[in-house]
Amino acid sequence: RNQQMKKRVLTLLLAGIMAVSTTGVSSFAAETETETATEASSEADEDYGEVVIEDGDRTITFTEMPKGILCLYSGEVLMKLGLKDYIVATNENNKGRKSPLEGVADDFEGIPELEKSQENAVASGADLIIGEISAFKDTNWGTFESLEDKGINCYALNGTVVADETMDSIYQDIENMGKIFKVEDKAEALIEDTKAQISEIQDAVKDVKEEDKVKAFVMDSLSGNEIYTTSAGLESNLIELAGGINTTKGMSDSRWFTTSVETLVTANPDVIIFNDYGVEGQVQENMDFITNNAALADVPAVKNQNYVVVPLAYVMHDLSAVVACQDFAEAFYPDCFTE
């Protein structure tokens, strides 16, 4: 019996030693794994070097790869460059302006949508915020200075910090995102592909004579009897790339301005473009205002009910601008696109 007891005690001792040994190995493996991940992250940051981006009159310096993006715009470029996993949150009112491009809007499913506030920007865990320059105000998500003081870099979309926004602004954003996230080859390929699509549209309408060019008027929104339209900027550029003429180009020092029905009469457009904000009934209400206004009865676009509707997202600082340009060109010159 004593012999059996000794054997049992020995077995328990061995089991205890093995348990301690296994725990030790497991703990050591976990520590080693953590250390390896930390070292890899540190090495990645060392390899990252320094990326300097000119953003309007600001210079942004990156010394390590951003870990999380708060995306305050449609985010098509980010998705197309394969950066979805970096997006930690988007803004609550982004839904109506998300990309209409196939598959990209779906990429936002499951990404948290935040109400506008500096507290939410900081709480999101983002170390990079991308949005229009208007987003970086005390009354919005916080100023550049206040956010940078909290370790958050801020990138204002190029189209919102230059004198006049064109497709070149979108190309610049693609190039900058490529540099920041070290995907320069992808960025270059995306720029070339986008330029090729625009060139194809231009080629289709290149034989249209100057005197035959379609005159377009943008009906962005309506306030009482006043019309909000465009004097410059991306939508104006897209009209021109599609072979048309923006009848209100250069009428104001600002890109968008409020004007009267008389301006529309004087502009005498062949086509009226209605921007769709995704608000139910908004486009129809604007169309009814134009169609039922006796002063506009002789305007060619009204007389012929020659209207084009474009989602606002298509003309807002991102890749779907190509879709808008194609839609404009086909509406202006359908004969150029018949096979």
Side-chain angles (χ1 to χ4, degrees), residues 36-85:
T36 303
T38 304
E39 285 168 12
S41 174
S42 178
E43 283 174 17
D45 288 340
E46 282 178 21
D47 292 343
Y48 185 85
E50 185 177 87
V51 174
V52 178
I53 301 293
E54 299 302 326
D55 191 33
D57 58 3
R58 300 169 56 247
T59 298
I60 317 169
T61 302
F62 295 85
T63 55
E64 61 181 17
M65 185 80 75
K67 307 293 191 296
I69 303 167
L70 172 55
C71 177
L72 304 180
Y73 80 122
S74 57
E76 291 171 356
V77 167
L78 298 174
M79 296 302 186
K80 291 291 184 180
L81 292 179
L83 302 174
K84 174 186 175 179
D85 291 342

Side-chain angles (χ1 to χ4, degrees), residues 298-335:
D298 293 329
V299 171
V302 180
K303 190 187 296 183
N304 301 317
Q305 298 282 285
N306 201 355
Y307 301 154
V308 178
V309 178
V310 59
L312 186 65
Y314 283 49
V315 293
M316 295 296 290
H317 327 301
D318 220 330
L319 291 168
S320 42
V322 176
V323 183
C325 191
Q326 180 77 35
D327 287 351
F328 291 166
E330 289 180 5
F332 297 167
Y333 311 108
D335 292 347

Side-chain angles (χ1 to χ4, degrees), residues 188-233:
E188 187 179 344
L190 183 57
I191 290 169
E192 290 309 309
D193 180 58
T194 308
K195 284 183 175 180
Q197 291 178 67
I198 293 291
S199 290
E200 195 174 323
I201 296 167
Q202 289 183 293
D203 285 344
V205 300
K206 69 178 186 299
D207 293 332
V208 176
K209 295 176 181 177
E210 191 66 32
E211 61 267 27
D212 295 331
K213 283 192 172 183
V214 165
K215 295 187 296 179
F217 181 96
V218 174
M219 173 65 145
D220 179 77
S221 53
L222 190 63
S223 177
N225 288 322
E226 294 196 314
I227 298 168
Y228 197 53
T229 189
T230 182
S231 172

Side-chain angles (χ1 to χ4, degrees), residues 90-338:
T90 185
N91 52 316
E92 196 174 50
N93 68 349
N94 207 31
K95 188 166 285 184
R97 287 177 43 189
K98 280 180 186 170
S99 166
L101 294 184
E102 186 179 351
V104 181
D106 294 341
D107 285 337
F108 275 91
E109 293 302 320
I111 293 176
E113 295 184 348
L114 307 179
E115 283 186 33
K116 182 170 56 182
S117 75
Q118 183 170 333
E119 291 73 22
N120 284 340
V122 174
S124 72
D127 56 359
L128 173 61
I129 299 178
I130 303 174
E132 299 176 7
I133 193 168
S134 59
F136 301 104
K137 293 180 179 177
D138 265 332
T139 51
N140 289 356
W141 296 89
T143 63
F144 293 127
E145 294 76 19
S146 63
L147 291 165
E148 286 163 359
D149 282 347
K150 297 186 184 303
I152 303 173
N153 267 322
C154 306
Y155 179 85
L157 296 166
N158 185 263
T160 68
V161 297
V162 294
D164 190 15
E165 182 181 19
T166 65
M167 281 301 299
D168 287 339
S169 300
I170 296 171
Y171 303 144
Q172 188 63 61
D173 285 333
I174 298 171
E175 183 181 321
N176 288 342
M177 292 306 112
K179 287 178 181 176
I180 294 167
F181 290 94
K182 301 292 187 179
V183 287
E184 289 96 331
D185 290 348
K186 276 188 179 180
E188 187 179 344
L190 183 57
I191 290 169
E192 290 309 309
D193 180 58
T194 308
K195 284 183 175 180
Q197 291 178 67
I198 293 291
S199 290
E200 195 174 323
I201 296 167
Q202 289 183 293
D203 285 344
V205 300
K206 69 178 186 299
D207 293 332
V208 176
K209 295 176 181 177
E210 191 66 32
E211 61 267 27
D212 295 331
K213 283 192 172 183
V214 165
K215 295 187 296 179
F217 181 96
V218 174
M219 173 65 145
D220 179 77
S221 53
L222 190 63
S223 177
N225 288 322
E226 294 196 314
I227 298 168
Y228 197 53
T229 189
T230 182
S231 172
L234 184 59
E235 190 162 11
S236 183
N237 180 233
L238 296 175
I239 290 169
E240 292 176 350
L241 290 172
I245 296 169
N246 174 19
T247 54
T248 54
K249 183 176 180 179
M251 279 193 182
S252 172
D253 290 337
S254 57
R255 296 182 194 179
W256 294 90
F257 68 105
T258 301
T259 191
S260 63
V261 169
E262 284 73 28
T263 299
L264 183 45
V265 173
T266 305
N268 203 38
D270 305 300
V271 175
I272 296 176
I273 298 168
F274 293 85
N275 288 346
D276 184 359
Y277 278 68
V279 177
E280 188 177 352
Q282 171 240 345
V283 171
Q284 190 57 55
E285 182 184 325
N286 291 349
M287 280 186 182
D288 290 345
F289 172 83
I290 294 292
T291 305
N292 300 327
N293 194 311
L296 300 172
D298 293 329
V299 171
V302 180
K303 190 187 296 183
N304 301 317
Q305 298 282 285
N306 201 355
Y307 301 154
V308 178
V309 178
V310 59
L312 186 65
Y314 283 49
V315 293
M316 295 296 290
H317 327 301
D318 220 330
L319 291 168
S320 42
V322 176
V323 183
C325 191
Q326 180 77 35
D327 287 351
F328 291 166
E330 289 180 5
F332 297 167
Y333 311 108
D335 292 347
C336 293
F337 294 91
T338 53

